[in-house]
Amino acid sequence: MDSNPSSAETAPGNIYVSSAVTNAAKILVVGHFAVGKTTFIGSLSEITPLRTEEKMTQASLHVDDLRGVADKTTTTVALDFGRLTLSDDLVLYLFGTPGQQRFMQLWEDMARGALGALLLVDPARLEETFPVIDLVERYGLEYAIAVNSFQRGTVYEEAEVREALDLLPDTPVVYCDARDRQSSAHALIALVRHLLTRAA
Ligand SMILES: Nc1nc2c(ncn2[C@@H]2O[C@H](COP(=O)(O)OP(=O)(O)O)[C@@H](O)[C@H]2O)c(=O)[nH]1
Ligand SMILES: [Mg+2]
């Protein structure tokens, strides 16, 4: 074990927060089932993310909608947790919060103290995002939309996504590949910028 936490700073896999960090913020990564929340936090987190995934059983077949994601074999029972040091003095704690109806109780706790939410959207399943938007709005969370396009070939224009989701003009919409660290960081930074302008 490293006995000198500050020496390793924020290298991937480092379990210590740099001693220079003075600000910590809680950010929620939200979205419907199989939109890429676990993937997103996994690609960004500098610590091994805490995952509470379980193998899906026959019993969950009628509960979790597998249309279009037939190769998915796990489902998040509660949440994902990861950490990302964004600058010399700012660390983000990422909480992946499931959008399924049965986790609504969890939202109340998760929303407390959260700076805002990055709302992952699969443009091929836009209607599944409506209940998630209802939740972020109900809990008064500022949010940005990250379209995780799954490289399907179909181009979903920003204007279409905005109109379908009935977004306010100043709600940021960014495109990302949840598997890619840089792309995910870009989406998260769009949210943080939005939160900073709101706080100013
Ligand atoms: N092709 C592609 N697959 C993705 C992407 N993001 C997630 N996936 C896959 O989609 C499935 C669901 O992702 P997961 O992160 O488990 O979704 P969650 O239920 O929101 O946590 C997994 O098999 C991922 O590997 C992406 O950007 N592109
Ligand atoms: Mg998950």
Side-chain angles (χ1 to χ4, degrees):
M1 205 169 110
D2 187 350
S3 59
N4 180 9
S6 60
S7 67
E9 295 299 337
T10 57
N14 179 23
I15 60 168
Y16 299 109
V17 174
S18 162
S19 53
V21 168
T22 49
N23 295 302
K26 173 182 176 184
I27 299 279
L28 306 189
V29 177
V30 302
H32 62 70
F33 174 68
V35 75
K37 300 177 296 294
T38 299
T39 307
F40 185 92
I41 291 180
S43 70
L44 273 184
S45 184
E46 63 207 14
I47 50 171
T48 306
L50 175 69
R51 285 180 186 151
T52 51
E53 298 231 315
E54 287 297 338
K55 285 240 175 291
M56 282 191 287
T57 62
Q58 285 296 109
S60 78
L61 279 184
H62 301 289
V63 181
D64 287 325
D65 181 359
L66 281 169
R67 272 172 300 174
V69 284
D71 58 347
K72 188 165 158 67
T73 55
T74 59
T75 188
T76 300
V77 172
L79 45 84
D80 302 290
F81 172 72
R83 190 190 77 206
L84 178 66
T85 305
L86 209 60
S87 66
D88 287 349
D89 62 352
L90 176 63
V91 65
L92 299 182
Y93 290 104
L94 306 175
F95 290 80
T97 311
Q100 290 103 306
Q101 296 283 323
R102 65 184 186 274
F103 293 117
M104 284 211 184
Q105 292 277 333
L106 197 91
W107 272 71
E108 185 136 5
D109 291 332
M110 296 307 300
R112 202 168 299 133
L115 217 57
L118 188 67
L119 203 164
L120 291 182
V121 168
D122 177 349
R125 312 169 90 198
L126 279 177
E127 71 289 349
E128 293 185 44
T129 290
F130 297 139
V132 188
I133 292 188
D134 285 347
L135 282 168
V136 289
E137 290 184 346
R138 181 187 309 175
Y139 291 107
L141 291 163
E142 295 286 350
Y143 64 96
I145 298 288
V147 179
N148 191 21
S149 57
F150 289 83
Q151 305 75 43
R152 289 197 194 88
T154 314
V155 178
Y156 297 88
E157 300 290 347
E158 179 180 332
E160 282 178 68
V161 173
R162 282 191 176 281
E163 193 185 337
L165 297 178
D166 198 18
L167 301 177
L168 291 172
D170 69 344
T171 302
V173 173
V174 285
Y175 286 74
C176 74
D177 179 337
R179 300 164 305 173
D180 181 86
R181 181 175 165 84
Q182 257 194 319
S183 174
S184 299
H186 172 74
L188 198 60
I189 288 166
L191 169 67
V192 172
R193 284 218 175 96
H194 178 62
L195 297 175
L196 289 173
T197 53
R198 282 308 178 101

